[in-house]
Amino acid sequence: MAPSAPADASADLSTDVLIVGAGPSGLMLAVCLARLGVDAIVVDGKAGPTRESRALVVQARSMELYDQLGLVDRVLANRSPATRLIPGAGRNELGRIDLALAGSDVTPYSEITVFEQSANERLLIDALGQLGREVRWGHRLERLLIEPPAPQHGRPAASVLATLANLSTGEGEGEGEGVREGAVTVRARYCVGADGSRSTVRRELEIPFDGATNAFTFTLADAIGMRGLEAQAINVRVSERHLMLGFGMGGDRARLIGVVRDDDLGADGEASEDESRAVFRREFGVEYDESAWFTTYRLHHRLAARFREGPCFLVGDAAHIHSPVGGQGMNTGLQDAHNLACAFADVLVDGMSESRLERYEAERRPVGKTLVETTDRLFGLVTSDSSRARFVRSRVIPAIGPAAVRLIPRLVGLPRAFGFVSQTRIRYRMPDAAGATSPARDDGLLGLRLPWTGDNFDVLRAMRWQVHGYGVPERSVHRIARELGVEGHVFGADPHGRLRRDRVYLVRRDGFIVAEVPSPGTGAALAAARTRVAGG
């Protein structure tokens, strides 16, 4: 039986934040806001959460967010770890790369976690329920209006007025038309569109979603009884005209993703599962007994022109969509939501300046832009049908691949490559005290996620602003923390030498370093840190 709507679903509602969409991004936002004490309502037109696996990989940075929320043990208990990357040509492996080793000094979660989208959603829905909140399923956004400030009516800032259709969808997932039972009006200080690539919020705001649709068809199968690939690994195989990705999903299940060119489609123009299985068998020697789910789709690369319009924001697929190569999509959406939730709490709970919210688009849109551009280029390289590309895939890669797999990690640097894929190397460009953005250069640790030292992430579970000192005298750390009005934490020297002993670090709720103050902490550096705490 589909989940029922709350008993008061027909009433007009008001809240600080209206979240439209209860996929991973919307649910992450809702859980974070509940933890941080921000009033929010989350709605979704479906009758219940996603049942298909869809997105599959949880990267290290997202695991750190789950740790901060007290949820990571549930993920670890139900995940399927991928400890190796195994590239291959045709039926042959080219070598193996140890993923866990690459991130062993970077994060507590150095393995890639295979934990499907539906499981992420169930995890977050359960967490939301434990925090005393729920999703209003069967509530579809129909209209969204931005209302200008009206001090005479008690609205000192712009707000939103949303009209929702209250649907009764009966049994099942609720993707059907449904029956309209009535309208619900929600007045909110802010609205967040977490409603996917066809976002109604984005459409109502008339925000362009520019990009392209790839010419190829993707096939996706959750295969049972898979043979021919390593189960606890990320398998990447290429042949002259084809590409396949394979991930173990735990037990005897595996996710297989393939690319079908138009001349390989059936007479009806569709890619059937039988044809897809034939390609896997012929090109890569991979077979399976049956599938729990099979689907096809066209790939899009798109980026919203803006992530914010007044009191409205976009997160996840509503803001950016791209190739599944690299397993970045769901993770980027989870981190969009976490970033925005922390900014909302700074303004709505701690009373920071409204300018604090400007940091969301300034920080997260460059991440989305880079992701769309890099995955687009990478996908274009591995799927190009040019004669040169086909020659490289069929002749060059099989010939030099084994040597390249051994050499490339040394030339590129496994920790560096791991940092990009795991999203632990993301850097935000921080404005200086006068509001100017720092140039794109290595500026200490400013704008980076706090490096992990082995024992310093536990205190981040408080989700509060903090001052950290590593090998710094305790009195200096606590004095600077008092002056800034935040809590202070003292640790031993960083064993990897990344966090210096002659300064303290101002860390936001989301774990990013936003100021470095030389010890003992006086003058311009301390003043700049005060500006950060004020929301600048």
Side-chain angles (χ1 to χ4, degrees):
M1 180 69 68
S4 59
D8 64 345
S10 61
D12 288 348
L13 306 166
S14 63
T15 188
D16 285 327
V17 182
L18 171 63
I19 305 167
V20 181
S25 301
L27 291 168
M28 171 62 80
L29 181 61
V31 171
C32 289
L33 292 179
R35 273 284 310 273
L36 293 166
V38 176
D39 186 48
I41 293 173
V42 55
V43 301
D44 197 297
K46 300 192 306 296
T50 302
R51 292 179 180 175
E52 295 88 1
S53 53
R54 301 192 183 185
L56 203 62
V57 171
V58 179
Q59 301 288 1
R61 179 57 187 151
S62 298
M63 291 291 284
E64 292 173 1
L65 303 189
Y66 280 142
D67 187 356
Q68 191 177 35
L69 293 169
L71 303 176
V72 76
D73 287 343
R74 302 184 210 179
V75 180
L76 293 172
N78 294 284
R79 71 170 182 168
S80 175
T83 59
R84 294 175 292 277
L85 171 65
I86 305 178
R91 297 171 178 238
N92 301 315
E93 292 183 8
L94 298 176
R96 298 187 170 207
I97 298 173
D98 189 332
L99 297 173
L101 179 63
S104 59
D105 295 334
V106 177
T107 177
Y109 311 104
S110 57
E111 300 170 338
I112 289 180
T113 291
V114 178
F115 190 65
E116 61 197 60
Q117 178 176 329
S118 56
N120 281 271
E121 292 185 14
R122 288 194 299 272
L123 172 77
L124 292 166
I125 289 168
D126 289 347
L128 192 63
Q130 290 168 359
L131 290 165
R133 302 188 185 181
E134 61 184 339
V135 178
R136 294 174 180 265
W137 300 107
H139 283 67
R140 183 181 66 212
L141 178 66
E142 296 276 287
R143 191 179 183 194
L144 183 67
L145 295 176
I146 296 178
E147 296 192 316
Q152 68 275 22
H153 297 300
R155 294 200 308 273
S159 59
V160 296
L161 187 65
T163 303
L164 311 175
N166 182 4
L167 307 175
S168 174
T169 55
E171 299 204 12
E173 185 181 354
E175 298 284 3
E177 291 298 323
V179 178
R180 179 161 184 164
E181 293 185 340
V184 179
T185 300
V186 180
R187 186 180 298 279
R189 177 67 187 87
Y190 303 102
C191 176
V192 180
D195 48 345
S197 60
R198 299 179 181 179
S199 170
T200 301
V201 173
R202 190 185 62 241
R203 186 184 68 239
E204 288 286 292
L205 298 173
E206 298 182 347
I207 295 177
F209 199 42
D210 296 329
T213 300
N214 198 278
F216 307 132
T217 297
F218 266 85
T219 65
L220 184 153
D222 285 351
I224 299 173
M226 183 270 296
R227 301 175 296 281
L229 295 176
E230 174 72 31
Q232 287 196 334
I234 306 297
N235 299 272
V236 183
R237 295 285 180 92
V238 296
S239 66
E240 182 179 354
R241 303 186 70 247
H242 293 278
L243 164 72
M244 184 185 71
L245 304 177
F247 309 80
M249 296 175 66
D252 63 349
R253 291 199 308 154
R255 163 69 58 82
L256 300 176
I257 299 174
V259 173
V260 179
R261 301 182 186 277
D262 287 349
D263 55 4
D264 290 326
L265 296 175
D268 58 358
E270 300 293 332
S272 72
E273 183 172 7
D274 287 344
E275 290 159 343
S276 176
R277 293 177 75 169
V279 170
F280 291 159
R281 186 184 311 112
R282 181 184 72 243
E283 300 288 326
F284 308 113
V286 174
E287 300 184 67
Y288 60 90
D289 297 330
E290 59 180 335
S291 65
W293 183 45
F294 178 85
T295 190
T296 64
Y297 58 96
R298 292 279 185 170
L299 180 66
H300 305 272
H301 301 267
R302 298 188 185 277
L303 179 70
R306 303 181 296 283
F307 281 19
R308 180 184 185 183
E309 183 69 34
C312 300
F313 300 80
L314 301 176
V315 299
D317 285 357
H320 45 76
I321 53 173
H322 34 79
S323 164
V325 172
Q328 303 292 293
M330 179 174 67
N331 295 274
T332 305
L334 291 172
Q335 291 162 52
D336 289 345
H338 183 265
N339 179 294
L340 183 56
C342 292
F344 278 144
D346 287 342
V347 173
L348 294 170
V349 176
D350 284 356
M352 284 190 186
S353 165
E354 181 86 5
S355 63
R356 169 70 179 91
L357 294 174
E358 296 173 5
R359 297 301 308 153
Y360 171 68
E361 180 172 354
E363 293 173 359
R364 295 305 300 175
R365 191 172 185 276
V367 172
K369 184 174 186 291
T370 298
L371 183 58
V372 169
E373 291 174 348
T374 54
T375 59
D376 190 14
R377 286 197 300 268
L378 179 59
F379 185 76
L381 287 172
V382 298
T383 60
S384 171
D385 206 27
S386 70
S387 58
R388 177 180 299 179
R390 292 171 66 171
F391 177 77
V392 168
R393 288 194 297 267
S394 64
R395 300 295 180 86
V396 177
I397 290 178
I400 71 170
V405 170
R406 292 193 299 271
L407 291 174
I408 287 177
R410 300 175 189 172
L411 297 176
V412 175
L414 269 182
R416 182 179 179 84
F418 175 86
F420 284 115
V421 174
S422 66
Q423 302 195 354
T424 56
R425 285 184 62 89
I426 288 172
R427 180 171 218 149
Y428 300 144
R429 295 175 64 183
M430 292 287 160
D432 61 23
T437 302
S438 61
R441 69 177 191 274
D442 185 4
D443 193 15
L445 296 177
L446 189 64
L448 287 171
R449 143 203 174 274
L450 178 71
W452 177 59
T453 64
D455 63 352
N456 62 336
F457 275 16
D458 289 353
V459 297
L460 299 181
R461 293 172 186 155
M463 294 188 78
R464 291 192 290 268
W465 285 63
Q466 304 172 358
V467 161
H468 285 210
Y470 295 83
V472 180
E474 184 174 354
R475 62 183 180 277
S476 294
V477 175
H478 289 300
R479 182 185 62 77
I480 294 171
R482 284 194 302 271
E483 293 209 25
L484 296 177
V486 301
E487 59 186 46
H489 296 281
V490 181
F491 300 92
D494 178 6
H496 308 293
R498 296 162 299 191
L499 294 150
R500 293 171 52 170
R501 303 178 64 170
D502 62 350
R503 62 190 58 196
V504 300
Y505 298 90
L506 178 62
V507 183
R508 285 192 320 206
R509 298 177 192 270
D510 62 356
F512 276 77
I513 295 173
V514 295
E516 299 183 19
V517 181
S519 179
T522 57
L526 187 60
R530 286 197 188 97
T531 300
R532 294 278 191 267
V533 174

